[in-house]
Amino acid sequence: MPNAKDLIERARMFEERAETAADPITRQHYREMAAHYRSLSVEHQEVTRQREHEAAH
């Protein structure tokens, strides 16, 4: 499973692709993929924090 940094890196990669995409549909797709990976990163961080909290108690 990728860690949060890996997911953020993938989001950055898709943002870069969106900036260089020739057509609007592809650009929008890449932006949606970037948003998806950012969202996954946040979820990953929340789950990790929750597990650490549970392990501490």
Side-chain angles (χ1 to χ4, degrees), residues 8-51:
I8 290 296
E9 178 59 27
R10 289 181 190 181
R12 187 192 59 75
M13 177 194 67
F14 278 112
E15 281 295 339
E16 287 178 1
R17 287 182 183 179
E19 291 174 11
T20 60
D23 66 284
I25 293 171
T26 302
R27 190 173 15 251
Q28 181 62 31
H29 171 73
Y30 285 147
R31 287 199 172 119
E32 289 172 1
M33 291 300 296
H36 174 71
Y37 278 107
R38 284 190 297 272
S39 176
L40 286 175
S41 174
V42 170
E43 288 179 32
H44 185 281
Q45 291 171 352
E46 289 173 353
V47 168
T48 300
R49 275 189 230 116
Q50 183 180 13
R51 286 182 181 164

